[in-house]
């Protein structure tokens, strides 16, 4: 089937990954490497982070629940510390590709986020949020876990995005930095690209779409 739409994750795709901030925090606080990711991967559908992304917990409740989960794993970390690590820097090359694609393909964003910080990208200040909002405005639809009460990798969130965009999964290319989020999209019929190196991801997208997305 002909590709008509490109769906994007936000954090870790259009911005640098919050996992980079996690690692710096772990180094600064003497935590084992990937400790924070391990907490978030334990009981992934019912842990504090999952419930926060579905807006089942408020900020204060998340702060306490994450602290309890991390303490049980050996190192107490307040959830409020995690919130401060979520925002990333925009990747100009990815934003440029997004804008080039917009003229020829339909585009939407599917993001797991929380009701903290400024705007859907959870920025720490209003100025940064405005910068991100300008990129968010490029999308026809922004599907936010915190508003919908669904989060990736639940297949329902991908179906919801397709319904909003009036496309079938087979018409979609989806970019995300997490394999766990790509798997259900692929099973629904989407073509998926895992974003670890932005340049490599854009090369794959160029090949799929048959258009130049990178400068130079």
């Amino acid at each position: 089937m002909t590709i008509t739409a490109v769906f994007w994750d936000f954090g870790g795709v259009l911005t640098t990954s919050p996992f980079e901030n996690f690692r710096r925090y772990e180094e600064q606080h003497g935590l084992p490497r990937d400790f924070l990711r391990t907490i978030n991967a334990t009981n992934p559908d019912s842990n504090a982070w999952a419930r926060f992304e579905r807006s089942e917990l408020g900020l204060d409740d998340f702060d306490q629940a994450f602290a309890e989960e991390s303490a049980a794993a050996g190192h107490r970390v307040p959830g409020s510390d995690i919130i401060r690590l979520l925002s990333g820097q925009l990747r100009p090359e990815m934003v440029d590709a997004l804008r080039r694609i917009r003229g020829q393909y339909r585009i939407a964003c599917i993001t797991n986020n929380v009701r903290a910080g400024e705007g859907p990208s959870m920025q720490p200040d209003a100025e940064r949020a405005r910068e991100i909002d300008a990129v968010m405005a490029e999308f026809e639809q922004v599907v936010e876990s915190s508003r919908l009460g669904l989060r990736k990798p639940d297949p329902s969130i991908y179906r919801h995005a397709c319904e909003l965009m009036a496309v079938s999964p087979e018409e979609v290319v989806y970019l995300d930095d997490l394999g766990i989020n790509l798997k259900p999209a692929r099973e629904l019929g989407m073509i998926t690209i895992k974003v670890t190196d932005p340049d490599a991801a854009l090369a794959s997208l160029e090949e799929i779409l048959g258009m130049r997305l990178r400068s130079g």
Side-chain angles (χ1 to χ4, degrees):
M1 187 174 288
T2 302
I3 296 299
T4 63
V6 181
F7 291 178
W8 305 70
D9 178 31
F10 202 84
V13 175
L14 287 158
T15 68
T16 54
S17 173
F19 296 147
E20 297 172 21
N21 297 336
F22 284 8
R23 292 194 183 102
R24 283 192 290 271
Y25 182 95
E26 288 162 352
E27 291 171 359
Q28 293 167 358
H29 292 80
L31 301 176
R33 184 178 175 86
D34 292 332
F35 176 76
L36 299 177
R37 292 185 68 175
T38 299
I39 300 302
N40 286 342
T42 302
N43 301 318
D45 293 328
S46 58
N47 64 21
W49 186 247
R51 287 181 287 151
F52 195 26
E53 287 187 329
R54 293 193 298 260
S55 293
E56 295 169 7
L57 294 179
L59 183 57
D60 290 342
D61 290 334
F62 170 73
D63 179 58
Q64 180 63 29
F66 191 92
E68 291 172 358
E69 289 178 354
S70 58
H75 303 274
R76 188 182 188 281
V77 177
S80 56
D81 282 10
I82 302 303
I83 299 303
R84 288 190 286 270
L85 302 175
L86 296 180
S87 64
Q89 300 293 323
L90 282 171
R91 289 172 166 165
E93 69 276 32
M94 299 299 281
V95 174
D96 184 52
L98 172 72
R99 288 172 172 154
R100 294 187 188 204
I101 288 168
R102 180 180 171 82
Q104 299 188 44
Y105 295 88
R106 305 192 64 194
I107 56 174
C109 178
I110 308 175
T111 180
N112 282 356
N113 64 359
V114 297
R115 293 185 178 181
E118 297 279 347
S121 58
M122 305 168 294
Q123 296 304 309
D125 59 71
E127 182 177 352
R128 177 82 66 81
R130 283 192 292 270
E131 182 183 39
I132 298 295
D133 285 348
V135 178
M136 287 288 189
E138 300 285 345
F139 294 109
E140 294 177 55
Q141 297 284 348
V142 177
V143 178
E144 302 177 55
S145 67
S146 64
R147 291 183 178 272
L148 191 60
L150 292 172
R151 67 189 289 272
K152 298 176 291 186
D154 187 332
S156 297
I157 198 168
Y158 307 93
R159 295 192 189 99
H160 178 76
C162 287
E163 290 170 2
L164 286 176
M165 295 289 284
V167 298
S168 68
E170 292 82 5
E171 296 176 78
V172 177
V173 180
Y174 178 58
L175 297 91
D176 200 297
D177 62 323
L178 297 180
I180 191 173
N181 292 340
L182 291 169
K183 182 179 178 182
R186 188 165 54 249
E187 290 175 346
L188 287 172
M190 296 181 188
I191 296 174
T192 60
I193 298 174
K194 186 175 183 179
V195 181
T196 50
D197 173 68
D199 191 63
L202 289 177
S204 297
L205 190 56
E206 286 176 334
E207 184 176 354
I208 293 167
L209 300 182
M211 64 182 294
R212 184 70 177 169
L213 298 174
R214 295 169 293 172
S215 301

